[in-house]
PDB file of all heavy atoms in Angstrom:
ATOM      1  N   LYS A   8     127.868 116.629 158.780  1.00  0.00           N
ATOM      2  CA  LYS A   8     127.770 117.885 159.543  1.00  0.00           C
ATOM      3  C   LYS A   8     129.148 118.510 159.688  1.00  0.00           C
ATOM      4  O   LYS A   8     129.336 119.714 159.512  1.00  0.00           O
ATOM      5  CB  LYS A   8     127.210 117.609 160.949  1.00  0.00           C
ATOM      6  CG  LYS A   8     125.758 117.183 160.988  1.00  0.00           C
ATOM      7  CD  LYS A   8     125.339 116.879 162.429  1.00  0.00           C
ATOM      8  CE  LYS A   8     123.939 116.300 162.483  1.00  0.00           C
ATOM      9  NZ  LYS A   8     123.486 116.051 163.864  1.00  0.00           N
ATOM     10  N   THR A  29     122.778 127.350 166.594  1.00  0.00           N
ATOM     11  CA  THR A  29     122.656 126.423 167.726  1.00  0.00           C
ATOM     12  C   THR A  29     122.490 125.004 167.199  1.00  0.00           C
ATOM     13  O   THR A  29     121.801 124.795 166.195  1.00  0.00           O
ATOM     14  CB  THR A  29     121.424 126.818 168.575  1.00  0.00           C
ATOM     15  OG1 THR A  29     121.705 128.060 169.209  1.00  0.00           O
ATOM     16  CG2 THR A  29     121.098 125.785 169.647  1.00  0.00           C
ATOM     17  N   GLY A  30     123.105 124.050 167.898  1.00  0.00           N
ATOM     18  CA  GLY A  30     122.875 122.646 167.555  1.00  0.00           C
ATOM     19  C   GLY A  30     124.163 121.882 167.340  1.00  0.00           C
ATOM     20  O   GLY A  30     125.272 122.419 167.472  1.00  0.00           O
ATOM     21  N   SER A  31     124.012 120.610 166.966  1.00  0.00           N
ATOM     22  CA  SER A  31     125.173 119.723 166.876  1.00  0.00           C
ATOM     23  C   SER A  31     126.043 120.044 165.657  1.00  0.00           C
ATOM     24  O   SER A  31     127.249 119.772 165.671  1.00  0.00           O
ATOM     25  CB  SER A  31     124.714 118.267 166.846  1.00  0.00           C
ATOM     26  OG  SER A  31     123.810 118.046 165.780  1.00  0.00           O
ATOM     27  N   THR A  32     125.468 120.592 164.590  1.00  0.00           N
ATOM     28  CA  THR A  32     126.283 120.956 163.424  1.00  0.00           C
ATOM     29  C   THR A  32     127.136 122.184 163.757  1.00  0.00           C
ATOM     30  O   THR A  32     128.336 122.223 163.450  1.00  0.00           O
ATOM     31  CB  THR A  32     125.388 121.231 162.197  1.00  0.00           C
ATOM     32  OG1 THR A  32     124.416 120.188 162.098  1.00  0.00           O
ATOM     33  CG2 THR A  32     126.195 121.286 160.917  1.00  0.00           C
ATOM     34  N   ASP A  81     124.503 128.665 160.583  1.00  0.00           N
ATOM     35  CA  ASP A  81     123.588 127.859 161.384  1.00  0.00           C
ATOM     36  C   ASP A  81     123.185 126.633 160.572  1.00  0.00           C
ATOM     37  O   ASP A  81     123.369 126.596 159.348  1.00  0.00           O
ATOM     38  CB  ASP A  81     122.349 128.687 161.750  1.00  0.00           C
ATOM     39  CG  ASP A  81     121.605 128.146 162.955  1.00  0.00           C
ATOM     40  OD1 ASP A  81     121.936 127.046 163.436  1.00  0.00           O
ATOM     41  OD2 ASP A  81     120.684 128.839 163.425  1.00  0.00           O
ATOM     42  N   SER A  82     122.598 125.670 161.251  1.00  0.00           N
ATOM     43  CA  SER A  82     122.112 124.485 160.554  1.00  0.00           C
ATOM     44  C   SER A  82     120.586 124.549 160.419  1.00  0.00           C
ATOM     45  O   SER A  82     119.989 125.611 160.630  1.00  0.00           O
ATOM     46  CB  SER A  82     122.554 123.222 161.306  1.00  0.00           C
ATOM     47  OG  SER A  82     122.233 122.091 160.532  1.00  0.00           O
ATOM     48  N   ALA A  83     119.972 123.445 160.052  1.00  0.00           N
ATOM     49  CA  ALA A  83     118.523 123.374 159.881  1.00  0.00           C
ATOM     50  C   ALA A  83     118.097 121.928 160.079  1.00  0.00           C
ATOM     51  O   ALA A  83     118.914 121.003 159.993  1.00  0.00           O
ATOM     52  CB  ALA A  83     118.137 123.840 158.478  1.00  0.00           C
ATOM     53  N   ASP A  84     116.814 121.741 160.325  1.00  0.00           N
ATOM     54  CA  ASP A  84     116.263 120.385 160.423  1.00  0.00           C
ATOM     55  C   ASP A  84     115.906 119.859 159.042  1.00  0.00           C
ATOM     56  O   ASP A  84     116.010 118.672 158.778  1.00  0.00           O
ATOM     57  CB  ASP A  84     115.024 120.389 161.319  1.00  0.00           C
ATOM     58  CG  ASP A  84     115.348 120.911 162.702  1.00  0.00           C
ATOM     59  OD1 ASP A  84     116.270 120.357 163.326  1.00  0.00           O
ATOM     60  OD2 ASP A  84     114.738 121.904 163.126  1.00  0.00           O
ATOM     61  N   LYS A  94     113.531 125.074 160.922  1.00  0.00           N
ATOM     62  CA  LYS A  94     114.533 125.108 161.984  1.00  0.00           C
ATOM     63  C   LYS A  94     113.828 125.052 163.334  1.00  0.00           C
ATOM     64  O   LYS A  94     112.616 125.162 163.406  1.00  0.00           O
ATOM     65  CB  LYS A  94     115.348 126.410 161.891  1.00  0.00           C
ATOM     66  CG  LYS A  94     116.304 126.383 160.724  1.00  0.00           C
ATOM     67  CD  LYS A  94     117.249 127.589 160.721  1.00  0.00           C
ATOM     68  CE  LYS A  94     117.894 127.927 162.026  1.00  0.00           C
ATOM     69  NZ  LYS A  94     118.646 126.816 162.648  1.00  0.00           N
ATOM     70  N   GLY A  95     114.621 124.870 164.369  1.00  0.00           N
ATOM     71  CA  GLY A  95     114.040 124.963 165.704  1.00  0.00           C
ATOM     72  C   GLY A  95     113.967 123.667 166.461  1.00  0.00           C
ATOM     73  O   GLY A  95     113.404 123.623 167.551  1.00  0.00           O
ATOM     74  N   GLY A  96     114.580 122.594 165.887  1.00  0.00           N
ATOM     75  CA  GLY A  96     114.665 121.352 166.646  1.00  0.00           C
ATOM     76  C   GLY A  96     115.259 121.607 168.030  1.00  0.00           C
ATOM     77  O   GLY A  96     114.859 120.999 169.020  1.00  0.00           O
ATOM     78  N   GLY A  97     116.186 122.534 168.102  1.00  0.00           N
ATOM     79  CA  GLY A  97     116.821 122.868 169.383  1.00  0.00           C
ATOM     80  C   GLY A  97     116.129 123.997 170.122  1.00  0.00           C
ATOM     81  O   GLY A  97     116.619 124.456 171.156  1.00  0.00           O
ATOM     82  N   GLY A  98     115.004 124.460 169.590  1.00  0.00           N
ATOM     83  CA  GLY A  98     114.201 125.448 170.332  1.00  0.00           C
ATOM     84  C   GLY A  98     114.711 126.873 170.281  1.00  0.00           C
ATOM     85  O   GLY A  98     114.215 127.739 171.002  1.00  0.00           O
ATOM     86  N   ALA A  99     115.659 127.152 169.405  1.00  0.00           N
ATOM     87  CA  ALA A  99     116.266 128.499 169.398  1.00  0.00           C
ATOM     88  C   ALA A  99     115.876 129.300 168.158  1.00  0.00           C
ATOM     89  O   ALA A  99     116.503 130.302 167.838  1.00  0.00           O
ATOM     90  CB  ALA A  99     117.789 128.364 169.491  1.00  0.00           C
ATOM     91  N   GLU A 103     117.467 132.588 166.295  1.00  0.00           N
ATOM     92  CA  GLU A 103     118.194 132.244 165.059  1.00  0.00           C
ATOM     93  C   GLU A 103     117.696 133.057 163.872  1.00  0.00           C
ATOM     94  O   GLU A 103     118.479 133.477 163.013  1.00  0.00           O
ATOM     95  CB  GLU A 103     118.052 130.743 164.771  1.00  0.00           C
ATOM     96  CG  GLU A 103     118.799 129.887 165.785  1.00  0.00           C
ATOM     97  CD  GLU A 103     118.465 128.407 165.711  1.00  0.00           C
ATOM     98  OE1 GLU A 103     117.462 128.035 165.096  1.00  0.00           O
ATOM     99  OE2 GLU A 103     119.225 127.622 166.296  1.00  0.00           O
ATOM    100  N   LYS A 121     119.403 116.101 155.517  1.00  0.00           N
ATOM    101  CA  LYS A 121     118.499 117.226 155.850  1.00  0.00           C
ATOM    102  C   LYS A 121     117.875 117.845 154.599  1.00  0.00           C
ATOM    103  O   LYS A 121     116.956 118.646 154.697  1.00  0.00           O
ATOM    104  CB  LYS A 121     119.285 118.318 156.594  1.00  0.00           C
ATOM    105  CG  LYS A 121     119.987 117.856 157.857  1.00  0.00           C
ATOM    106  CD  LYS A 121     119.053 117.845 159.020  1.00  0.00           C
ATOM    107  CE  LYS A 121     119.738 117.588 160.345  1.00  0.00           C
ATOM    108  NZ  LYS A 121     120.463 118.711 160.860  1.00  0.00           N
TER     109      LYS A 121
HETATM  110  C1  5RP B 301     118.111 124.743 166.570  1.00  0.00           C
HETATM  111  C2  5RP B 301     118.140 124.526 165.097  1.00  0.00           C
HETATM  112  C3  5RP B 301     119.211 123.622 164.564  1.00  0.00           C
HETATM  113  O1  5RP B 301     119.935 124.305 163.614  1.00  0.00           O
HETATM  114  C4  5RP B 301     118.552 122.417 163.953  1.00  0.00           C
HETATM  115  O2  5RP B 301     117.681 121.813 164.900  1.00  0.00           O
HETATM  116  C5  5RP B 301     119.597 121.403 163.479  1.00  0.00           C
HETATM  117  O3  5RP B 301     120.264 120.894 164.593  1.00  0.00           O
HETATM  118  P1  5RP B 301     121.492 119.896 164.479  1.00  0.00           P
HETATM  119  O4  5RP B 301     122.651 120.659 163.917  1.00  0.00           O
HETATM  120  O5  5RP B 301     121.727 119.445 165.894  1.00  0.00           O
HETATM  121  O6  5RP B 301     121.081 118.763 163.587  1.00  0.00           O
HETATM  122  O7  5RP B 301     117.359 125.031 164.331  1.00  0.00           O
HETATM  123  O8  5RP B 301     117.004 125.546 166.942  1.00  0.00           O
END
Side-chain angles (χ1 to χ4, degrees):
K8 291 177 186 182
T29 291
S31 56
T32 314
D81 201 352
S82 188
D84 302 305
K94 287 187 46 55
E103 291 168 345
K121 303 277 188 76

